[in-house]
Structure formats: structure tokens, C-alpha cells
Amino acid sequence: MNRPILGKSEKISFPEFGLTDVLAKVDTGAYTSSLDCEFVKEIEKDGKKVIEFVLLNTNRPGYTGKIFYSDEYLYTEIKSANGVQLRYMIVTDLVLHEKTYSIRISLNDRSKMIYPALIGRKLIALGDFLVDVKTGEGPTDDEETRGL
């Protein structure tokens, strides 16, 4: 059986938000996937709790400043290299290798990161992907840039 292969980074799309070809770093050390978000907050809209958010940051290709809303969300602890953080997670469709996956993805400020999105182990397993770090889209990794 031929399993699809992910490189060190991939282009992904989020049809619900009109985002295409978003560069995502493949991170086998991360459990969940993540998407750059300029801001996110919980509000009440039409008598219902929802989150309001703007995807990507102003310095990112594809940034529109458009405000989105979701009533399918969690506010949960995410472990990262910076310790434990509280983050909002939404349910949305993600397109990778021309296949659509319904996933839970965390929203957080990735403006200081090279890649606006991150593909974690949960999505890697869902798509039954293999990872080949010698291939991929986008710029070189930050470790390569620093000469490590």
C-alpha cells in the first residue's frame, strides 16, 4: 500500500475561510495543528457564546483582516516549547494533498514564526502520512538558516 508523503512543509488550504496555499510546517513533535491568528476572543452574538477571530497576521500573504465567528470551539491547554498555554481551538476543514480533512486546530499568534501554520501528529495520523524531511514547500527551516 502506498502511503502519502509529507515533506518538512506543505501548502494547505482552509476553504471555509477562503485561505489557499498557506505554508505549514510539518511537526511530528506537535500533537495538534495550529494556525496563525491576529486576535481571538469569546463574545456573545445573537444570545449565543461564540469566538470572534481574524486569521493570519498583517505581515502574512492571504491576510484580509476579515472577522470570522465560530460556535464550535474549545478553550484548552496546549503544551508547547514555551510551556502550557491556553488556546482556542476550532473545528474546520483543511485541504492537504487534494483531500479534505475535518480537524480541530488551535488559533494562536504565529507572527514570529516562519510558517503561518503547523501540521501536528493528529493530522499526520488521520491522513496516514509518512514524513520525509528532505522534501517540502517554502523557505528553509529556521535551524538551517541559523547554520545549526
Side-chain angles (χ1 to χ4, degrees):
M1 177 170 119
N2 288 338
R3 293 170 63 188
I5 297 173
L6 296 179
K8 65 183 174 195
S9 52
E10 296 287 336
K11 288 183 180 177
I12 58 177
S13 297
F14 297 91
E16 180 179 358
F17 307 117
L19 295 174
T20 58
D21 294 334
V22 176
L23 281 175
K25 181 176 184 176
V26 176
D27 187 347
T28 60
Y31 181 64
T32 58
S33 299
S34 179
L35 180 60
D36 188 26
C37 183
E38 187 173 62
F39 83 87
V40 59
K41 65 180 176 179
E42 188 177 56
I43 63 166
E44 190 168 310
K45 184 177 180 187
D46 301 325
K48 194 175 182 180
K49 282 190 175 184
V50 299
I51 57 169
E52 173 182 77
F53 54 97
V54 173
L55 294 175
L56 306 178
N57 275 272
T58 55
N59 63 331
R60 299 278 191 196
Y63 172 82
T64 64
K66 183 176 179 184
I67 297 173
F68 295 101
Y69 300 92
S70 179
D71 60 356
E72 280 191 82
Y73 68 94
L74 297 170
Y75 190 59
T76 188
E77 288 184 352
I78 302 287
K79 293 177 188 170
S80 74
N82 301 324
V84 176
Q85 299 175 339
L86 288 172
R87 292 189 194 162
Y88 287 101
M89 296 186 79
I90 60 170
V91 175
T92 190
D93 286 342
L94 176 148
V95 179
L96 172 61
H97 284 227
E98 300 180 5
K99 188 169 179 189
T100 302
Y101 301 90
S102 181
I103 67 160
R104 200 174 270 157
I105 192 165
S106 72
L107 303 176
N108 67 308
D109 182 357
R110 293 184 55 82
S111 60
K112 291 182 173 61
M113 306 293 192
I114 293 172
Y115 297 93
L118 185 109
I119 296 171
R121 290 191 316 270
K122 199 167 181 182
L123 178 57
I124 295 168
L126 181 64
D128 196 29
F129 291 104
L130 293 175
V131 178
D132 179 357
V133 297
K134 292 181 182 178
T135 65
E137 301 281 344
T140 58
D141 287 339
D142 54 348
E143 291 88 359
E144 293 171 1
T145 304
R146 292 190 312 238
L148 297 177

